[in-house]
């Protein structure tokens, strides 16, 4: 199938990205470099390869979602040893977040794009492919993400590496 590698996600502000980067530089010791800060986000629904028709359908569906804006507070980390992912996680999963993620995941499945074998587990991936959990010398100073919109991202490679480029944005109701 010719198409784009797509996913829905929530982006970070430049200030939040700088905050995370400073914490990684001063308080986290890992055996390899972090994922690219320009790509940090919270994935709502991975869609995999989507042709133009499927892309149009997921965009239409995402526009139909009516969810309020909300906040996520990030204050802790996690590590999945099966894939070597080290990540930041929110202090709780609220109904508004699930009210966006679950319908988007279901839409992708209904269109035959991707069926995620794992339950929704919101996180911001900081490292991938680590054989051991990084050493954290000091916890991250908590920060709050004001979620007023989400995006459809295109995952693609350019000369300088992987890019997650937002190609459509969807506002949440106030």
């Amino acid at each position: 199938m010719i198409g784009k590698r797509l996913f829905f996600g929530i982006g970070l502000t430049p200030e939040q990205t700088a905050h995370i980067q400073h914490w990684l530089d001063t308080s986290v010791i890992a055996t390899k470099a972090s994922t690219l800060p320009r790509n940090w986000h919270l994935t709502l629904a991975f869609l995999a390869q989507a042709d133009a028709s499927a892309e149009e359908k997921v965009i239409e569906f995402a526009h139909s979602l009516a969810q309020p804006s909300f906040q996520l507070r990030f204050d802790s980390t996690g590590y999945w040893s099966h894939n070597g992912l080290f990540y930041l996680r929110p202090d709780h999963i609220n109904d508004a977040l699930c009210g966006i993620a679950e319908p988007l995941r279901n839409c992708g499945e209904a269109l035959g794009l991707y069926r995620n074998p794992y339950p929704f587990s919101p996180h911001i991936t900081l490292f991938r492919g680590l054989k051991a959990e990084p050493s954290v010398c000091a916890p991250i100073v908590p920060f709050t993400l004001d979620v007023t919109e989400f995006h459809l991202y295109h995952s693609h490679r350019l000369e300088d590496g992987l890019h997650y480029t937002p190609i459509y944005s969807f506002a949440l109701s106030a």
Side-chain angles (χ1 to χ4, degrees), residues 71-139:
Q71 293 184 323
L72 294 173
R73 183 175 183 269
F74 290 85
D75 64 355
S76 59
T77 61
Y79 175 71
W80 290 321
S81 59
H82 72 280
N83 58 8
L85 245 69
F86 179 75
Y87 57 90
L88 287 174
R89 63 178 172 221
D91 62 356
H92 71 284
I93 302 172
N94 63 37
D95 290 342
L97 177 61
C98 290
I100 300 169
E102 295 300 336
L104 292 173
R105 288 166 57 109
N106 292 341
C107 177
E109 284 185 27
L111 291 171
L113 296 174
Y114 184 75
R115 184 186 180 299
N116 196 318
Y118 302 105
F120 179 57
S121 182
H123 64 281
I124 299 168
T125 299
L126 302 177
F127 293 90
R128 64 177 74 244
L130 293 175
K131 294 188 186 311
E133 186 170 356
S135 212
V136 177
C137 305

Side-chain angles (χ1 to χ4, degrees), residues 2-79:
I2 297 175
K4 297 177 186 165
R5 188 173 173 88
L6 301 175
F7 66 90
F8 285 103
I10 298 168
L12 303 176
T13 65
E15 295 79 16
Q16 291 161 337
T17 299
H19 176 73
I20 296 167
Q21 185 66 65
H22 175 74
W23 171 70
L24 289 178
D25 291 344
T26 61
S27 302
V28 178
I29 301 166
T31 57
K32 62 191 291 188
S34 71
T35 55
L36 296 169
R38 68 177 178 230
N39 291 335
W40 289 340
H41 68 281
L42 184 148
T43 299
L44 295 167
F46 180 67
L47 301 173
Q49 290 294 124
D51 63 18
S53 172
E55 180 179 343
E56 186 177 304
K57 288 173 183 166
V58 297
I59 290 168
E60 183 179 330
F61 180 79
H63 276 301
S64 76
L65 292 177
Q67 290 292 329
S69 56
F70 57 94
Q71 293 184 323
L72 294 173
R73 183 175 183 269
F74 290 85
D75 64 355
S76 59
T77 61
Y79 175 71

Side-chain angles (χ1 to χ4, degrees), residues 128-152:
R128 64 177 74 244
L130 293 175
K131 294 188 186 311
E133 186 170 356
S135 212
V136 177
C137 305
I140 191 165
V141 173
F143 68 94
T144 299
L145 178 59
D146 293 315
V147 182
T148 59
E149 65 182 354
F150 64 97
H151 311 282
L152 179 63

